[in-house]
Amino acid sequence: MTLGSWDVETGQRVRRHVGHEEIINALDISKRGQELLVSGSDDGTIGIWDPRQKDALEYLETELPITAVALSEAGNEIYSGGIDNTIHVWDLRKKAIVYSMTGHNDTITSLQISPDSQTLLSNSHDSTVRTWDIRPFASATRQILTFDGAPVGLEKNLIRASWDPKGEKIAAGSGDRSVVVWDSKSGKLLYKLPGHKGTVNDVRFSPNDEPIGKSPPTSFNHHPVPSYSILILIVIPQSYPALRIVTSCSAN
């Protein structure tokens, strides 16, 4: 199985990264410092890659499939989730798990670190989205809030959740064909946006509160539309995993 890197200006693939033996479920990239890619696979490994090289720098080995990964902003820790329902935190220097966070009751489907790097967002097949305190000296009970309202559905896809650029809102796809948006501080469900004809697998906020496109309606089926923009990504399985943008909506 392979990862692919593309030039965003030309649309040309510049490199294939080969090494995983099973489906690759998740990917994250470094935010600063050394350029790194991290990947999680059904083969039970977390791959660490230099995007300029074809082969992995190394693999962190586990006993179960990895379904979600996130790389800390400092690049010194990796967060992983899998079918053991637990979030594990890896120290990249030690190549070992330094602590784990429990609370979900089913497979972890996504992980993302907040814009201020203080909180981890997780989604799970237990139909909950949760936030976790990942500050270095946080209490042993790291779970902060649980967000309900986005059922996983019968298909049990690997549904993703994400932060808005300010860390004030959280969004997730849902098995009931809707996009769900919450207030990240209170846990209040703000919007449930219908329109898709199948499970919504991934939702992302636009980076600068600017609309992605013009001329959307001001409501969907009489539901009010928020004033920020949302980009929806659908994962299309092929002979190797790939992400394709297949639809977007601007809620402006």
Side-chain angles (χ1 to χ4, degrees), residues 45-119:
T45 67
I46 300 166
I48 303 171
W49 312 77
D50 182 328
R52 299 166 296 182
Q53 300 177 17
K54 178 180 178 180
D55 299 322
L57 299 175
E58 60 185 308
Y59 295 95
L60 304 176
E61 297 186 1
T62 74
E63 297 180 355
L64 298 169
I66 301 296
T67 51
V69 292
L71 180 63
S72 68
E73 183 178 3
N76 61 328
E77 290 181 328
I78 292 175
Y79 302 84
S80 70
I83 64 172
D84 63 352
N85 313 340
T86 302
I87 300 168
H88 300 290
V89 185
W90 299 76
D91 185 312
L92 275 181
R93 289 164 294 192
K94 298 177 181 178
K95 309 296 188 297
I97 294 171
V98 289
Y99 67 91
S100 299
M101 296 181 286
T102 58
H104 280 297
N105 299 313
D106 208 334
T107 298
I108 311 296
T109 64
S110 78
L111 296 170
Q112 190 180 80
I113 297 169
S114 62
D116 65 4
S117 301
Q118 303 295 303
T119 309

Side-chain angles (χ1 to χ4, degrees), residues 15 60 81 121 142:
R15 188 161 290 106
L60 304 176
L121 177 68
R142 291 178 176 266

Side-chain angles (χ1 to χ4, degrees), residues 187-240:
K188 180 182 178 181
L189 196 156
L190 300 176
Y191 302 100
K192 200 168 176 69
L193 307 175
H196 280 286
K197 297 180 180 180
T199 297
V200 182
N201 293 320
D202 201 342
V203 181
R204 303 298 164 111
F205 293 88
S206 62
N208 299 311
D209 289 334
E210 297 177 353
I212 296 167
K214 298 285 185 178
S215 72
T218 57
S219 66
F220 291 119
N221 297 339
H222 308 293
H223 291 257
V225 176
S227 60
Y228 46 80
S229 300
I230 295 176
L231 171 66
I232 300 171
L233 304 178
I234 307 297
V235 179
I236 306 295
Q238 290 186 330
S239 57
Y240 59 88

Side-chain angles (χ1 to χ4, degrees), residues 3 20 22-28 37-49 59-60 62 64-70 78-81 158 160 241:
L3 301 172
H20 280 296
E22 299 290 344
I23 289 173
I24 301 164
N25 294 310
L27 175 69
D28 199 10
L37 305 174
V38 295
S39 56
S41 170
D42 276 356
D43 63 16
T45 67
I46 300 166
I48 303 171
W49 312 77
Y59 295 95
L60 304 176
T62 74
L64 298 169
I66 301 296
T67 51
V69 292
I78 292 175
Y79 302 84
S80 70
L158 295 181
R160 315 295 181 182

Side-chain angles (χ1 to χ4, degrees), residues 146-173:
T146 299
F147 303 81
D148 297 306
V152 67
L154 297 177
E155 295 174 340
K156 284 208 164 185
N157 293 358
L158 295 181
I159 297 174
R160 315 295 181 182
S162 64
W163 297 91
D164 80 337
K166 298 178 181 178
E168 297 173 350
K169 296 179 179 67
I170 288 167

